[in-house]
Amino acid sequence: MSTSSLPGSASGSLPSPAVSRVRHGLAPWARIAGLALCALLTLGPVIWTVSTSLHTPAKSFDLPPKIIPTDPTVVAYRGVFDQIDVWLYALNSTLVTALIAVGQMITAGLAGYAFARLEFRFKKPLFALVLATMMVPLQVTIVPVFLELKAMGLTDTLLGLIIPAFPTAFGTFLMRQYFLGMPKDLGEAAMIDGAGPWRVFRSVYAPLAAPGLAIVGVLAFNYHWNEFFRPLILETSTENLTLPLGSGLPPGQTSAPARSPSSSPGVVLSMIPAVVVFVVGQRPLREGITSAGVNR
Amino acid sequence: MTNTEIRPARPESVRTRKTRQSRKASERAATTARGRGTRLLAALFLAPTVVGIVVFTVLPIVGSVVLSLFQWDVIEDPRWAGVANYRKILTDSTVLVSFRNTLVFMVLAVALQLLFALVLAITVNGRMPKWLRSVFRSAFFFPLVLSAASISVVMKYLFNQDFGPVNWLLGTVGIPSVPWLTSENGAMAAVVLAYVWQQFGFSFLLFVGGLNNIPKEVHEAASLDGASGLRKHLAITLPLLSPTLLVASVVGIINALQVFEQPYVLTAGGPGDSTRTVVMVIYETAFEQLRFGEASAVGVLLFVLIMAVTALQFRLSRRYVHYQ
């Protein structure tokens, strides 16, 4: 792990500051202090949001900011629940995100398996097609996608958000790599035993795919829970808004100028599931993000 | 796993030539049947993904190009426009400024993002207790899991000139108050900082992974040869990390060219057009002004720009990236 440690320091005793200044340029305590400061700056906006949401609106802008509220109150939260239908937006967000995550796990799992373990014609060009679409930015295709959905009658419906997100080029790629990493002998042994292609998939490989599917699911959840651009374009009715659109931003006022500090409780509420995923699924999330980059 | 009892091979000599032949034939039949089954299964497995990608990505790309050659406001029928849309957007000052803004944003954001991520990744990889390292690592990638739109709402308060904590913090070290959201340069800086704050964790994770792949012996050898901290990193870490640097910069650039949430929420493109980005122009042209042809033309140009920048990068990388 520690690539810059010295051969002599493996004993476990800390090198003296003078020595390490020569070797690292910085003393270990200075390095750690610097990192701690950076971590604080990174988490600062989040801490500020949470603490502000617990202040009364009048005290939200006290400077220096009081990180720990002197008299914590949920007034601001009550205000948010009174003004906007948080439960409805949360339900919409949950529905959309969960269905997309499950949908992507299914489509990516199946297609990834086909590309990794089944033989068929046009396999290479089809796979190249899937890979190529990974490069296409969503914003470039959004106008025709909007028109397609309009023609299907799916604009301003939750389904219009969900269905186009089912196919996932990256997820397919990831699952293909995942299935390729499994020993080929397993499937061959089952085939010699007379198992058909479906049996081989169902009983041999599919049960081993859970960790890979977890990566696809966690990435999908993280991305679509926070998604803003597509819902902004597709959903016009208040009852179809998702949390990022509905919580921080009052309906119909999507890019409003100055707004009341009551939006911080909304932001906090929309953060909660993301934080849960961060804590529970940190490992698949990290692996997914890393491979998202490495495999481009 | 059913027919295991057939498997144990009987001694070959017992069998006649005839049975061996018929067995071969039946095997071939089984294989073709299995091949047909495989192809059917493959078709079923691929259908959702391939149909979905064709309908929601491939056709829309073609659609974008076609639409960009028409004039269309949804209400009336589309009219053939040829390259008129392109001629129009290439002389439209808002569109041109948005491309300029996006490029300026991209350079600043990607440079800062890579710099922060690299310095932090190298520092985190230094000697420290394991739990501390994982605390730092989690902290740096935490902003990635938040909604860019929601957090930009927060950033708007943080960057407020008079009562925002950012200026208060700068004030404590003697820096006079900065008009973040009300001046052109300040607004661009705020958008860049808000974006980099959220995104550097991505490059950071890539670099941490890349650093872990560098053999420890390389550093030890360098230390024994008397290379000091900074020199060691410049001469050894960076070249060995260059494949990761390429990936991080390609992905960083592609993402930065598509920036939307931060300027949309934080500055609404202002003051004036100073932080209006290409994607904001696509959004406004299509969904606020209902000029779908023009919006598609801007989209096609953005796509070409992204492709060109990426291709250029891979060309340059052939000279500078060292693969082990």
Side-chain angles (χ1 to χ4, degrees):
Chain A
M1 275 293 233
S2 64
T3 45
S4 52
S5 65
L6 311 171
S9 61
S11 60
S13 65
L14 280 171
S16 76
V19 170
S20 81
R21 193 167 298 130
V22 175
R23 303 290 186 177
H24 295 286
L26 269 179
W29 66 263
R31 213 156 30 88
I32 288 172
L35 283 174
L37 186 69
C38 291
L40 207 63
L41 284 175
T42 308
L43 297 179
V46 181
I47 298 168
W48 186 84
T49 312
V50 175
S51 97
T52 303
S53 73
L54 294 170
H55 283 94
T56 55
K59 284 191 174 171
S60 294
F61 297 115
D62 283 359
L63 287 176
K66 283 192 195 63
I67 292 307
I68 298 178
T70 36
D71 43 352
T73 160
V74 289
V75 166
Y77 283 86
R78 218 171 280 145
V80 165
F81 276 91
D82 286 346
Q83 279 168 29
I84 57 179
D85 203 340
V86 178
W87 292 118
L88 180 68
Y89 301 153
L91 181 71
N92 286 345
S93 268
T94 309
L95 261 178
V96 168
T97 312
L99 285 174
I100 291 177
V102 171
Q104 286 199 358
M105 283 155 78
I106 295 172
T107 62
L110 295 179
Y113 181 78
F115 282 125
R117 287 276 176 251
L118 299 178
E119 290 308 321
F120 52 92
R121 276 205 293 176
F122 306 124
K123 185 164 156 175
K124 276 195 178 145
L126 271 180
F127 188 59
L129 175 85
V130 171
L131 282 192
T133 59
M134 241 156 68
M135 295 278 290
V136 183
L138 170 75
Q139 290 88 345
V140 172
T141 53
I142 190 70
V143 173
V145 166
F146 173 80
L147 296 172
E148 279 180 349
L149 291 172
K150 203 172 159 63
M152 299 178 200
L154 289 177
T155 45
D156 201 17
T157 65
L158 295 181
L159 270 184
L161 275 181
I162 297 167
I163 294 174
F166 277 160
T168 157
F170 173 65
T172 303
F173 178 80
L174 205 137
M175 288 315 295
R176 172 184 174 266
Q177 298 303 97
Y178 205 80
F179 282 116
L180 279 179
M182 296 178 190
K184 220 174 171 173
D185 313 359
L186 291 178
E188 278 167 2
M191 271 201 282
I192 290 168
D193 291 346
W198 165 253
R199 246 343 256 294
V200 172
F201 169 73
R202 175 72 193 80
S203 328
V204 180
Y205 287 114
L208 298 174
L213 291 174
I215 297 180
V216 174
V218 166
L219 278 185
F221 187 93
N222 184 46
Y223 181 83
H224 291 283
W225 181 265
N226 295 326
E227 204 178 5
F228 184 71
F229 190 66
R230 286 193 318 136
L232 175 70
I233 287 167
L234 293 173
E235 310 302 329
T236 42
S237 314
T238 312
E239 72 259 23
N240 286 334
L241 294 183
T242 52
L243 268 180
L245 274 165
S247 66
L249 312 160
Q253 241 192 311
T254 31
S255 70
R259 287 203 333 278
S260 75
S262 71
S263 51
S264 54
V267 175
V268 172
L269 291 172
S270 76
M271 274 180 192
I272 292 171
V275 172
V276 170
V277 169
F278 180 79
V279 172
V280 178
Q282 185 171 145
R283 208 188 141 87
L285 191 62
R286 226 168 38 212
E287 281 174 13
I289 291 171
T290 314
S291 55
V294 173
N295 294 322
R296 281 252 186 186
Chain B
M1 302 270 177
T2 39
N3 303 327
T4 8
E5 70 277 11
I6 322 177
R7 250 180 79 221
R10 280 154 294 183
E12 192 71 8
S13 54
V14 180
R15 274 192 230 156
T16 65
R17 201 183 155 81
K18 200 183 158 202
T19 49
R20 215 181 316 163
Q21 261 177 347
S22 70
R23 184 156 167 260
K24 235 184 200 164
S26 70
E27 245 174 29
R28 207 181 306 125
T31 322
T32 29
R34 181 168 288 158
R36 214 176 299 128
T38 304
R39 283 196 297 276
L40 182 69
L41 197 69
L44 286 175
F45 277 18
L46 287 174
T49 295
V50 171
V51 170
I53 279 178
V54 167
V55 172
F56 293 114
T57 309
V58 178
L59 287 181
I61 294 176
V62 180
S64 269
V65 177
V66 173
L67 265 178
S68 74
L69 302 171
F70 282 86
Q71 206 176 8
W72 194 26
D73 61 359
V74 193
I75 301 150
E76 288 173 45
D77 283 343
R79 267 183 308 154
W80 174 258
V83 291
N85 284 331
Y86 289 95
R87 205 176 293 142
K88 189 170 172 210
I89 58 172
L90 287 175
T91 52
D92 184 311
S93 62
T94 307
V95 177
L96 292 179
V97 163
S98 78
F99 271 96
R100 194 200 69 111
N101 290 341
T102 306
L103 287 173
V104 169
F105 170 85
M106 175 202 86
V107 170
L108 293 174
V110 174
L112 279 181
Q113 178 186 343
L114 294 184
L115 183 72
F116 287 156
L118 187 61
V119 170
L120 289 174
I122 289 177
T123 319
V124 164
N125 247 35
R127 260 181 69 85
M128 72 180 69
K130 213 174 166 191
W131 64 268
L132 200 58
R133 177 177 294 124
S134 86
V135 166
F136 286 141
R137 211 170 44 183
S138 304
F140 294 144
F141 112 89
F142 181 72
L144 268 185
V145 305
L146 302 178
S147 142
S150 305
I151 211 70
S152 296
V153 173
V154 173
M155 289 287 179
K156 208 164 165 160
Y157 297 115
L158 297 184
F159 280 115
N160 185 294
Q161 188 179 355
D162 300 319
F163 51 80
V166 172
N167 272 349
W168 169 79
L169 208 61
L170 293 176
T172 57
V173 289
I175 298 171
S177 106
V178 180
W180 290 109
L181 302 175
T182 45
S183 70
E184 299 200 342
N185 290 337
M188 180 56 90
V191 170
V192 168
L193 288 175
Y195 180 88
V196 170
W197 173 80
Q198 184 153 38
Q199 288 287 321
F200 81 92
F202 172 70
S203 321
F204 170 81
L205 282 186
L206 292 184
F207 290 148
V208 168
L211 286 170
N212 283 338
N213 288 338
I214 298 177
K216 209 173 166 182
E217 298 77 38
V218 175
H219 279 284
E220 286 169 356
S223 302
L224 286 178
D225 288 346
S228 67
L230 187 61
R231 238 191 86 203
K232 193 171 73 182
H233 286 310
L234 285 181
I236 297 161
T237 315
L238 274 188
L240 287 176
L241 204 59
S242 54
T244 316
L245 267 168
L246 172 69
V247 170
S249 61
V250 169
V251 179
I253 285 176
I254 292 177
N255 287 340
L257 288 174
Q258 302 169 42
V259 63
F260 176 77
E261 278 97 335
Q262 285 86 357
Y264 181 80
V265 176
L266 207 51
T267 63
D273 280 336
S274 57
T275 52
R276 201 171 304 282
T277 64
V278 177
V279 174
M280 285 182 75
V281 168
I282 295 178
Y283 170 75
E284 289 161 354
T285 312
F287 301 104
E288 284 175 5
Q289 300 156 11
L290 299 181
R291 300 206 304 262
F292 285 90
E294 270 171 58
S296 300
V298 178
V300 171
L301 284 189
L302 176 64
F303 192 33
V304 171
L305 178 70
I306 289 177
M307 288 296 167
V309 172
T310 313
L312 180 76
Q313 239 179 336
F314 275 105
R315 273 189 85 88
L316 286 177
S317 72
R318 254 179 253 157
R319 291 179 55 184
Y320 301 111
V321 173
H322 302 255
Y323 290 96
Q324 290 177 41

